[in-house]
C-alpha cells in the first residue's frame, strides 16, 4: 500500500468539515465524507520544524533533538542560520520504507536542517522538489541570501529571484508547481508498479501567504482563504488522479497540519482554530489540535468520525504498519499504529504530551487536560504587538509570564470546555481524581525520558544558504561571511 501525507499549515477551524462558515473547502470536505475525520488529533509541538521532525521519526522533539536549552520552554525552529538539523542517529520514515521497496518523495518544505549532512536525500527520500526553509524574503544576498529551491540534490533557483512571490498582491505560482510534481510522481510510480510514499509539505498558508492568479480574490476570507482554496483544489486533483489511475484502493492518504493557525498573522495571513484557545507557538488547544482526515477508499468506511487521541507521530507507525514493517525496537517510539482505529473503529487509550522547547507544559488523557506550565508570550514581546491569543485573554491561563502549576495543575474538561476558559475547582473530587491519573502519566513519562542532544541552540551567519549544491552551474553562489557561532535567540 502506497501512502501520502499532506502536511499543511492550517488551523482546526479552516475546513468546512470542521465548521468553517464560508464552506470553501469542498474537496477536503469530500475527502472527509469519503474517509474518517479525526476531531482530537494533535501535533507534537506548536511550531513547524519540531513537528516535522516528530512526524518523520515518530518521536517527540525532545527525544529527536528538535528543541533548545538556550532558555526554559522556548520554541525553536530551523531558520537559515541554524547550525543543527536532523541527527544521523535518527531513523526517518522514508529510510525504513525503502527496505520495503518504496520510492519516497518530498514536495515542499523540509525544515529539518539545510546544511549538506541534513539533506532529505541523505535521510531516505529519493526525490525532492522544494525548499529547506520557509519562503521568507526577499533578501539582499549580502546580509542574508534568498532561500534556495531544490530539485533532488541541487538547487535550481532561489525564492523571489527565480521563483517569484509578489508580496504586494500575494501572487505566486508555487502551489501549481507543487501540484504538478505530485501528479507526475504518482503517474511515474504507478507506471512502474512501485509502492510510494509522497510527503506533500507545501506552505502557501504560511505568512507571507500566496496563491496563484486564478485563485486570487476568490475567497470570502481574503488572501489566506485564496491560498486555502488553492490547496483544497490541489488535494481534490491529487485524489482524483489516484482514482483515475485505479490505485486509490491501494493508497492511504492522510491530511493534517504541523501546528495551529498562526493567529499572530490573522486575519489577513492567518487562519482559524475554531473554538480553541490561542494559536501557533502555544500549548493551548489552538496551538496543537489539528484538522485531520484519513482517506483510503474500499478500506476506511465513509463518513467516519473518530475521537481517538491522535498525533502526527502516529503517521510514522501507521505508515510502517501499512508497509508490513515493525517500528525500530532500539529506541523509544511515541507514535502508535492507528490502523485498528481507522479500519475497526477501535479507541486506544494514550496520553498527549504538550511540549514547548525543553518543558512538558501540559498533558491530556481522555477528556481531561492538565497544564503544569502556562505561557502565551512575554510582556515584552506582547508590548511589540506580538499576540498569540488575540481577543482571547483568559485570566490566570494565557499568562505573559511563565507560570508553574506543577503542584496544583490547571485542569480543564475539554468536552464541556473545549476553549479552556473554566479551570475545574481544586477542591472538587473530579479534580483530584483526574489530576491523580494525569500526574501519574507525567511521572511515568519523565522517569524514562532520555532527552536527545539539542540541535537548535547554535546559530551562525556563515551556514546560511550562501552556496548550496548546484549554485555554480547557475552562477548563484554567494560569498559567505566569517563564521561567528552564537547562541540562537528564541524569544517565545
Amino acid at each position: 500500500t502506497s501512502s501520502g501525507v499532506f502536511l499543511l499549515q492550517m488551523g482546526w477551524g479552516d475546513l468546512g468539515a470542521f465548521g468553517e462558515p464560508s464552506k470553501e473547502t469542498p474537496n477536503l470536505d469530500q475527502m472527509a465524507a469519503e474517509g474518517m475525520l479525526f476531531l482530537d488529533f494533535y501535533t507534537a509541538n506548536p511550531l513547524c520544524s519540531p513537528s516535522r521532525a516528530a512526524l518523520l521519526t515518530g518521536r517527540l522533539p525532545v527525544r529527536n533533538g528538535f528543541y533548545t536549552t538556550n532558555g526554559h520552554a522556548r520554541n525553536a525552529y530551523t531558520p537559515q542560520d541554524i547550525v543543527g538539523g536532523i541527527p544521523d542517529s535518527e531513523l526517518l520514515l522514508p529510510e525504513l520504507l525503502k527496505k520495503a521497496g518504496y520510492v519516497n518523495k518530498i514536495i515542499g518544505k523540509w525544515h529539518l536542517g539545510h546544511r549538506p549532512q541534513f539533506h532529505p536525500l541523505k535521510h531516505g527520500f529519493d526525490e525532492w522538489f522544494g525548499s529547506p526553509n520557509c519562503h521568507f524574503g526577499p533578501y539582499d544576498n549580502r546580509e542574508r541570501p534568498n532561500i534556495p529551491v531544490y530539485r533532488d540534490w541541487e538547487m535550481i533557483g532561489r525564492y523571489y529571484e527565480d521563483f517569484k512571490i509578489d508580496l504586494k498582491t500575494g501572487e505566486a505560482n508555487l502551489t501549481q508547481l507543487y501540484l504538478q510534481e505530485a501528479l507526475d510522481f504518482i503517474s511515474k510510480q504507478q507506471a512502474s508498479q512501485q509502492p510510494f510514499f509522497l510527503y506533500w509539505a507545501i506552505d502557501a498558508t504560511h505568512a507571507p501567504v500566496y496563491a496563484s492568479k486564478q485563485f486570487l480574490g476568490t475567497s470570502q476570507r481574503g488572501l489566506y482563504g485564496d491560498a486555502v482554496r488553492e490547496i483544497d483544489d490541489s488535494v481534490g486533483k491529487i485524489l482524483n488522479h489516484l482514482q483515475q489511475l485505479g490505485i486509490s484502493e491501494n493508497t492511504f492518504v492522510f491530511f493534517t497540519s504541523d501546528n495551529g493557525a498562526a493567529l499572530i498573522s490573522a486575519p489577513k495571513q492567518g487562519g482559524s482554530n475554531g473554538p480553541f484557545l490561542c494559536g501557533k507557538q502555544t500549548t493551548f488547544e489552538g496551538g496543537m489540535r489539528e484538522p485531520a482526515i484519513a482517506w483510503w477508499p474500499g478500506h476506511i468506511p465513509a463518513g467516519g468520525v473518530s475521537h481517538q487521541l491522535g498525533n502526527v507521530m502516529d503517521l510514522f507507525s501507521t505508515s510502517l504498519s501499512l508497509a508490513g514493517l515493525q517500528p525500530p525496537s532500539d529506541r523509544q517510539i511515541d507514535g502508535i499504529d492507528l490502523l485498528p482505529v481507522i479500519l475497526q473503529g477501535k479507541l486506544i487509550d494514550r496520553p498527549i504530551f504538550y511540549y514547548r522547547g525543553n518543558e512538558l507544559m501540559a498533558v491530556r488523557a481522555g477528556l481531561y487536560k492538565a497544564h503544569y506550565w502556562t505561557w502565551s508570550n512575554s510582556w515584552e514581546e506582547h508590548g511589540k504587538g506580538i499576540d498569540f491569543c488575540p481577543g482571547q485573554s483568559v485570566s490566570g491561563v494565557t499568562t505573559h509570564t511563565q507560570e508553574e502549576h506543577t503542584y496544583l495543575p490547571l485542569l480543564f474538561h475539554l468536552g464541556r470546555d473545549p476553549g479552556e476558559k473554566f479551570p475545574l475547582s481544586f477542591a472538587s473530587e473530579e479534580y483530584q481524581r483526574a489530576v491523580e491519573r494525569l500526574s501519574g502519566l507525567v511521572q511515568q513519562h519523565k522517569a524514562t525520558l532520555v532527552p536527545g542532544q539539542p540541535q537548535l541552540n547554535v546559530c551562525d551567519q556563515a551556514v546560511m544558504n550562501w552556496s548550496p549544491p548546484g549554485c555554480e552551474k547557475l552562477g548563484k553562489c554567494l560569498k559567505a561571511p566569517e563564521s561567528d557561532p552564537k547562541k540562537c535567540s528564541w524569544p517565545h
Side-chain angles (χ1 to χ4, degrees), residues 184-418:
D184 292 348
F185 174 72
I186 292 166
S187 297
K188 194 168 90 186
Q189 303 322 313
Q190 190 268 340
S192 58
Q193 301 282 299
Q194 201 64 40
F196 63 84
F197 169 58
L198 171 62
Y199 176 44
W200 199 64
I202 73 166
D203 66 348
T205 46
H206 189 296
V209 172
Y210 60 77
S212 57
K213 194 161 194 168
Q214 69 263 41
F215 288 92
L216 285 179
T218 63
S219 167
Q220 294 187 10
R221 304 177 68 193
L223 178 58
Y224 181 85
D226 297 341
V228 170
R229 290 200 58 182
E230 184 168 11
I231 288 168
D232 176 76
D233 180 76
S234 300
V235 168
K237 289 190 164 95
I238 294 171
L239 299 185
N240 188 42
H241 191 56
L242 292 169
Q243 286 172 318
Q244 299 285 304
L245 292 173
I247 55 172
S248 58
E249 297 205 354
N250 304 335
T251 312
F252 173 84
V253 183
F254 202 94
F255 172 95
T256 189
S257 172
D258 64 349
N259 45 242
L263 299 186
I264 179 179
S265 313
K268 288 200 168 83
Q269 304 245 326
S272 160
N273 296 316
F276 302 121
L277 188 61
C278 303
K280 178 176 176 173
Q281 302 261 11
T282 76
T283 49
F284 302 110
E285 290 297 286
M288 289 183 59
R289 202 190 291 204
E290 307 307 330
I293 304 168
W295 184 86
W296 188 13
H299 300 271
I300 298 177
V305 174
S306 178
H307 289 283
Q308 172 65 44
L309 300 194
N311 197 296
V312 292
M313 299 181 287
D314 303 342
L315 298 175
F316 174 89
S317 305
T318 307
S319 301
L320 290 178
S321 177
L322 285 162
L325 298 170
Q326 290 295 320
S329 57
D330 63 341
R331 62 200 60 208
Q332 179 70 43
I333 301 293
D334 297 291
I336 62 171
D337 176 6
L338 291 175
L339 286 186
V341 175
I342 292 167
L343 301 179
Q344 295 144 34
K346 290 206 163 119
L347 279 179
I348 300 164
D349 187 26
R350 62 91 72 90
I352 295 293
F353 296 113
Y354 302 72
Y355 269 89
R356 182 162 174 169
N358 57 352
E359 186 60 79
L360 178 60
M361 305 287 283
V363 64
R364 175 179 176 185
L367 286 166
Y368 292 103
K369 178 179 177 183
H371 289 267
Y372 295 89
W373 287 87
T374 52
W375 193 38
S376 55
N377 65 342
S378 68
W379 282 116
E380 186 188 350
E381 292 290 316
H382 192 253
K384 295 178 194 166
I386 295 175
D387 191 350
F388 297 148
C389 313
Q392 287 191 306
S393 181
V394 180
S395 174
V397 179
T398 56
T399 55
H400 290 292
T401 49
Q402 293 189 357
E403 297 291 332
E404 184 171 6
H405 310 276
T406 306
Y407 301 106
L408 268 184
L410 290 183
L411 183 71
F412 295 94
H413 185 287
L414 294 176
R416 300 192 295 262
D417 176 25

Side-chain angles (χ1 to χ4, degrees), residues 52-71:
R52 288 157 194 263
L55 187 156
L56 291 173
T57 60
R59 286 153 59 78
L60 285 163
V62 72
R63 296 191 212 274
N64 65 35
F66 265 66
Y67 71 105
T68 183
T69 51
N70 288 359

